[in-house]
Amino acid sequence: MTETHPKITKAVIPAAGLGTRFLPATKATPKEMLPVVDKPAIQYVVEEAVSAGLDDVLMVTGRNKRPLEDHFDRNYELESALTKKGDQSRLAKVQESSDLATMHYVRQGDPRGLGHAVLCAAPHVGHEPFAVLLGDDLIDPRDPLLQRMVEVQQQHGGSVIALMEVDPAQIHLYGCAAVKPTGEGDVVQITSLVEKPDPADAPSNLAIIGRYVLDPAVFGILRKTEPGRGGEIQLTDALQELAADEELGGPVHGVVFKGRRYDTGDRGDYLRAIVRLACEREDLGPDFRTWLRDYVTEEMQGS
Ligand code: UTP
């Protein structure tokens, strides 16, 4: 008989980081609110959780993060102005974000690291497995990674993390996984994890990207996890303990993602996300693509 695992209903979105790579834009505005075409980056992330069936969303926020709460709340002044004008299409856009999911918020007083941010979710999550989506990691809506991870968790239990192959020279920017195959093409078993290794010591070129489905046993481990790399409480360190001892919270699997992903906290990737998503939009795409083609042709002629 196959074992059944508790259904996953909750998503946690850590969004309390300082966003220093994007200063000065993020001095008074959370980086998650920077627009990707005409929607803040964070709305794509909440939409992704909802598409995977998780409409109970807890956002971990901090100082300067009020705009995040306002974005997912009603805005009666704007709604009544648009209603008076009869502008139904913009009214729908304003209401879309507040109708998306059941939103909850918790504050992380001090940004003591991603592991600490996840620990702030413990009282809300309780004893069920849950998903974690980093607020500045954008997965292209056409590449349903989280859904696949939920499926794998429901099949194997334990925890599931998302991995992506990166250029070995870039692995020092990520958490890195040592893995063994499972016989299922995109699924691997994690044998160990290390946060931001030197390329010479990295066990693979598989980088951890910002999607996780976690067994609640991670909370007990995080409570005991000492600050690691960068003086921060690292989620990777806690996951390494889970991977090293299956008795703690079941196995840790990885789903190797081959789709499109953007780190919107990185300026170059942020620009690439905007160009790509704008090109593919039905309303903006045709004109924008024409302009982009002419622009690139001019640049090539100039060089
Ligand atoms: P980053 O490593 O991108 O850090 O965090 P950061 O502070 O947000 O950005 P930079 O590097 O200074 O530009 C990864 C994710 O973890 C969250 C961030 O909001 C981001 O989604 N995080 C990080 C927290 O919620 N709390 C923390 O203490 C640290």
Side-chain angles (χ1 to χ4, degrees), residues 104-134:
H104 307 270
Y105 299 91
V106 63
R107 297 270 289 233
Q108 183 190 16
D110 258 336
R112 290 168 56 201
L114 177 58
H116 181 251
V118 170
L119 187 53
C120 294
H124 180 80
V125 167
H127 302 287
E128 293 157 26
F130 63 104
V132 174
L133 297 86
L134 298 196

Side-chain angles (χ1 to χ4, degrees), residues 123-288:
H124 180 80
V125 167
H127 302 287
E128 293 157 26
F130 63 104
V132 174
L133 297 86
L134 298 196
D136 54 0
D137 229 332
L138 202 159
I139 303 292
D140 194 292
R142 291 157 303 173
D143 300 325
L145 168 64
L146 189 61
Q147 245 155 287
R148 175 69 185 137
M149 293 172 70
V150 167
E151 240 172 65
V152 172
Q153 198 282 340
Q154 295 287 281
Q155 195 184 337
H156 296 279
S159 301
V160 180
I161 64 179
L163 301 172
M164 207 166 177
E165 283 185 30
V166 297
D167 176 350
Q170 299 296 308
I171 196 73
H172 67 283
L173 301 171
Y174 298 88
C176 174
V179 303
K180 59 182 186 196
T182 61
E184 248 177 298
D186 59 339
V187 184
V188 288
Q189 176 142 11
I190 308 292
T191 54
S192 80
L193 295 165
V194 51
E195 183 62 20
K196 300 193 170 79
D198 286 335
D201 305 329
S204 75
N205 67 335
L206 288 171
I208 307 174
I209 57 170
R211 298 292 179 270
Y212 309 78
V213 178
L214 299 178
D215 186 278
V218 74
F219 294 130
I221 299 172
L222 281 168
R223 280 189 195 99
K224 290 185 275 174
T225 303
E226 297 287 333
R229 205 171 168 108
E232 295 193 335
I233 297 174
Q234 297 288 353
L235 181 60
T236 307
D237 293 346
L239 296 179
Q240 156 61 18
E241 284 205 37
L242 275 182
D245 183 356
E246 264 195 41
E247 297 295 306
L248 291 173
V252 182
H253 284 92
V255 168
V256 182
F257 180 60
K258 297 212 187 286
R260 289 152 286 195
R261 171 243 176 202
Y262 312 95
D263 173 3
T264 53
D266 172 82
R267 290 167 302 170
D269 237 16
Y270 172 75
L271 292 174
R272 283 185 277 277
I274 293 179
V275 171
R276 208 166 198 171
L277 295 179
C279 281
E280 286 152 9
R281 280 271 294 259
E282 268 175 32
D283 52 349
L284 299 166
D287 281 353
F288 185 64

